[in-house]
Amino acid sequence: MLKATYLGHSCVMVTDGKYNIIIDPFLTGNPQANIKPEDVKVDFILLTHGHGDHMGDAIPIAKKNNATIIAPNELAVYVSQKGAKAHNMHIGGAHNFPFGRVKLTIAHHGSAAGDEMKYTGEPCGFLITMGGKTMYHSGDTGLFLDMKLIGEMNNIDLAFLPIGDNFTMGVTDAVKAVEFLKPKKVVPIHYKTWPVIDAEPKDFVEKLKGQSVKAVIVEPGDSIEA
């Protein structure tokens, strides 16, 4: 079993009933979030890149829970310098953790942290195998052809893809990404947090009608099972 709870923007909490992980825990300052960082109970934190609307509350959550942050190497070094436990990885690499297996994929975006915009390496997406299911969280990214390869090499049960445009893929490109990835279920993320990414998720769902994938709009605080 794999249950994913959407917490707004790009933040997703995932559980197999034994382990809890959270991806891109931007909660403080997130107008969509309905949970506070101090209420988060997790074993691991996965970060796609260093931007504040993704790294968010990762460091205080990690310290409070004695949780390990899994991130691309430079970002992992950054959070460890701030006092958090980290497991350094990089794109194309995979590792087995107590909850399952994580593999980093490419993402076309940027990655920098803090007011000084300190470089934190390449951004990434995550392929997570947990509870007998495979989940793909693309992180912030534009459309890229290697998504077709990701879909060919992995049987993806559940995918989370940005649709907000401006900083990431928009609806049309995200629909093409679904065609490449061939997930069983897909959830749109990274939209309507601010006016500049005011995309309509219903347009995304409508454009996927007739395809084998099940497109689901998950409201912040609600969950979906893979």
Side-chain angles (χ1 to χ4, degrees):
M1 185 274 291
L2 183 74
K3 184 172 82 169
T5 301
Y6 182 47
L7 297 176
H9 201 53
S10 291
C11 182
V12 181
M13 189 179 296
V14 187
T15 184
D16 62 356
K18 181 178 179 181
Y19 292 99
N20 298 313
I21 67 174
I22 192 168
I23 305 167
D24 288 354
F26 168 50
L27 301 172
T28 301
N30 178 356
Q32 298 177 340
N34 54 13
I35 184 172
K36 296 178 181 178
E38 53 267 31
D39 297 328
V40 173
K41 307 235 182 311
V42 291
D43 305 291
F44 291 86
I45 300 161
L46 280 64
L47 295 181
T48 62
H49 63 291
H51 291 164
D53 60 325
H54 292 263
M55 185 166 70
D57 302 287
I59 293 170
I61 290 173
K63 290 179 179 179
K64 182 177 182 294
N65 288 269
N66 195 29
T68 299
I69 294 175
I70 301 167
N73 182 65
E74 293 83 356
L75 180 53
V77 169
Y78 177 84
V79 299
S80 66
Q81 290 173 342
K82 301 293 183 182
K85 288 197 305 182
H87 181 97
N88 304 41
M89 295 187 69
H90 231 309
I91 292 162
H95 186 78
N96 292 323
F97 294 93
F99 63 86
R101 188 168 178 83
V102 174
K103 184 174 183 178
L104 271 61
T105 69
I106 65 172
H108 289 323
H109 198 59
S111 185
D115 293 337
E116 73 278 20
M117 292 297 282
K118 181 178 175 62
Y119 175 68
T120 47
E122 294 293 313
C124 76
F126 290 111
L127 280 164
I128 302 162
T129 303
M130 183 177 181
K133 302 289 184 177
T134 297
M135 185 183 114
Y136 174 58
H137 188 298
S138 72
D140 276 7
T141 187
L143 177 67
F144 55 91
L145 187 58
D146 278 3
M147 285 181 173
K148 190 171 184 180
L149 189 60
I150 293 171
E152 289 174 358
M153 294 180 66
N154 299 275
N155 184 16
I156 300 171
D157 296 289
L158 177 62
F160 288 85
L161 300 176
I163 66 164
D165 220 344
N166 195 76
F167 298 112
T168 68
M169 295 186 290
V171 168
T172 300
D173 283 3
V175 168
K176 190 67 176 180
V178 172
E179 179 186 323
F180 288 159
L181 293 163
K182 295 181 171 55
K184 294 182 179 69
K185 295 179 183 178
V186 62
V187 177
I189 59 173
H190 205 277
Y191 64 91
K192 291 190 180 298
T193 318
W194 304 288
V196 73
I197 56 171
D198 190 23
E200 179 49 65
K202 291 179 182 177
D203 293 342
F204 177 68
V205 172
E206 184 65 29
K207 287 178 182 290
L208 287 169
K209 279 189 176 175
Q211 296 193 30
S212 58
V213 63
K214 182 178 181 182
V216 184
I217 299 170
V218 180
E219 298 295 335
D222 290 344
S223 303
I224 184 171
E225 291 190 3

